Amino acid sequence: MAGSALRRLMAEYKQLTLDPPEGIVAGPISEDNFFEWEALIAGPEGTCFEGGVFPARLVFPPDYPLSPPKMKFTCDMFHPNIFVDGRVCISILHAPGDDPMGYELSAERWSPVQSVEKILLSVVSMLAEPNDESGANVDAAIMWRERREEFNIIARRLVRKTLGLPT
């Protein structure tokens, strides 16, 4: 199974290098291991994350694309759909099939037709438009909903931090 996963990851990497989505750079950490990638995601224009460059890591399972990768930001993040430890919580990264909690439709969850590019574009969308009803970080979700300007101040501070500027 790992052989077909490796071929798929190599093809996706080639596609990402030939036609990279705007604001996203991603690829294997090492040519010796295509199952661990790093990504740099630019904060979406017109959002409180604009101007930031957010590093993340993706770890692919041996049965990829049958199972989704895990994604984690490696910088400080404060966002309703990102756990305090940086793990990303969005539907596209949830295992295929029906949601045991009944919250997500199976069509929203992972399927083998998804790709690294679609994941990263979904994360950019998530940064721009959080789902505050499904909070991985409850404090961030509440602040996003009830005290938006305070949330924006924290986000702008994180942007400065990703750029190595004083906060």
Side-chain angles (χ1 to χ4, degrees):
M1 184 59 85
S4 60
L6 178 60
R7 283 190 297 280
R8 168 78 180 256
L9 287 167
M10 290 173 80
E12 289 193 42
Y13 176 59
K14 181 177 180 182
Q15 179 61 36
L16 278 171
T17 56
L18 292 174
D19 187 22
E22 188 176 331
I24 296 171
V25 177
I29 292 172
S30 146
E31 289 185 16
D32 297 331
N33 182 2
F34 260 76
F35 290 87
E36 281 192 46
W37 288 32
E38 54 191 355
L40 294 173
I41 300 171
E45 285 185 32
T47 73
C48 56
F49 295 102
E50 181 176 3
V53 179
F54 302 95
R57 179 159 288 176
L58 291 106
V59 177
F60 297 88
D63 66 343
Y64 180 81
L66 299 178
S67 298
K70 296 190 182 326
M71 183 172 178
K72 182 177 181 175
F73 280 95
T74 57
C75 62
D76 290 340
M77 290 298 285
F78 187 73
H79 188 280
N81 308 117
I82 301 171
F83 288 99
V84 175
D85 68 0
R87 287 177 296 137
V88 176
C89 181
I90 57 174
S91 300
I92 194 173
L93 291 176
H94 294 161
D98 293 328
D99 179 5
M101 306 300 277
Y103 179 75
E104 299 168 331
L105 300 172
S106 62
E108 298 171 321
R109 296 167 68 91
W110 179 258
S111 80
V113 300
Q114 306 293 5
S115 65
V116 176
E117 180 178 2
K118 288 178 184 173
I119 293 166
L120 296 171
L121 290 171
S122 294
V123 170
V124 171
S125 294
M126 173 203 76
L127 288 174
E129 298 177 31
N131 177 357
D132 63 3
E133 293 177 17
S134 174
N137 182 328
V138 175
D139 294 336
I142 291 169
M143 191 179 292
W144 169 264
R145 197 174 21 230
E146 298 175 4
R147 300 186 317 277
R148 183 71 57 90
E149 191 48 45
E150 193 177 339
F151 180 93
N152 290 343
I153 290 168
I154 291 171
R156 286 192 290 270
R157 204 174 293 141
L158 290 172
V159 165
R160 293 183 61 79
K161 192 172 182 180
T162 69
L163 301 174
L165 300 171
T167 56

